[in-house]
Amino acid sequence: MQNVNFFKKQGGRWFSQRTTHYLKTGGSKAGKSDLEITYFDENDDTVVRLCGEAHWPAADAVGGLRIVQKSTIIGGKTRNQSTLLVAIATDDKSGKLLSQPEGQPISQLSQYRFENDVLTITTDANGLRAEERWWFITDKLRMRTHVLSDKEGQTMASFCSEIRLGDVSA
């Protein structure tokens, strides 16, 4: 399955550099993040638990990711966060993502699809639409874009280049 392999490939320690542009105000910010991404197989207790909380059959799960992120915006504060994502397959190229920030209830339901080795995640919430794209240049270099739109059009766009530093420590 294409989506399982793509999600497994996310696992590891990553360094991310980000540039964010606020399209309505014309402002920009740069930032960096250290990411630790752990892949969970579809039968892992963490994946099964989250599916149960969402009232979805665990048998539909493809797998899950725990993303622990320590981010700094240049000139701003350091922020730590951890999120658990579980992918639910619709077919080999599309499905749904459950998102749960650590210690909180499931907060988002997103749609995902694969086209030309690019994962596109779309989330609609609170009058906003977020579209994020992830793709690999090599096994150690990943790119991500994120566009946030409201009813009046695009409001924010960001670009991240990410370098794999190694495996997540056991």
Side-chain angles (χ1 to χ4, degrees):
M1 260 186 137
Q2 180 181 359
N3 49 13
V4 173
N5 293 333
F6 190 89
F7 289 118
K8 282 182 181 179
K9 196 173 180 179
Q10 304 300 318
R13 290 182 309 110
W14 296 85
F15 172 75
S16 178
Q17 286 194 273
R18 175 181 62 259
T19 302
T20 302
H21 299 282
Y22 300 92
L23 303 172
K24 290 185 178 180
T25 64
S28 295
K29 290 186 178 180
K32 61 183 180 175
S33 298
D34 293 312
L35 306 169
E36 284 194 8
I37 301 175
T38 305
Y39 174 79
F40 297 105
D41 288 323
E42 69 276 7
N43 297 322
D44 188 279
D45 291 343
T46 304
V47 172
V48 172
R49 176 191 55 77
L50 190 59
C51 287
E53 289 177 19
H55 307 291
W56 281 7
D60 292 344
V62 173
L65 299 172
R66 174 172 286 122
I67 302 169
V68 178
Q69 180 174 334
K70 181 179 179 182
S71 298
T72 304
I73 300 292
I74 305 302
K77 294 181 178 181
T78 298
R79 189 175 60 124
N80 294 311
Q81 70 183 54
S82 180
T83 302
L84 179 64
L85 298 175
V86 172
I88 306 296
T90 302
D91 56 43
D92 192 39
K93 294 188 182 220
S94 65
K96 299 175 183 179
L97 286 175
L98 296 172
S99 176
Q100 182 182 39
E102 191 163 311
Q104 297 180 29
I106 296 168
S107 65
Q108 291 182 354
L109 172 63
S110 304
Q111 304 294 320
Y112 73 84
R113 70 182 185 283
F114 285 99
E115 294 175 328
N116 302 318
D117 296 324
V118 176
L119 173 70
T120 302
I121 302 167
T122 306
T123 307
D124 292 302
N126 303 320
L128 298 173
R129 170 167 268 215
E131 183 174 281
E132 189 167 357
R133 300 184 67 177
W134 302 4
W135 69 97
F136 286 91
I137 302 298
T138 69
D139 286 347
K140 295 186 179 209
L141 180 60
R142 179 175 76 175
M143 303 293 169
R144 288 189 301 131
T145 61
H146 184 254
V147 176
L148 186 64
S149 304
D150 63 16
K151 62 184 175 192
E152 297 172 13
Q154 295 179 348
T155 62
M156 185 209 67
S158 64
F159 173 77
C160 299
S161 60
E162 300 174 328
I163 299 169
R164 184 188 305 270
L165 301 174
D167 293 330
V168 175
S169 302

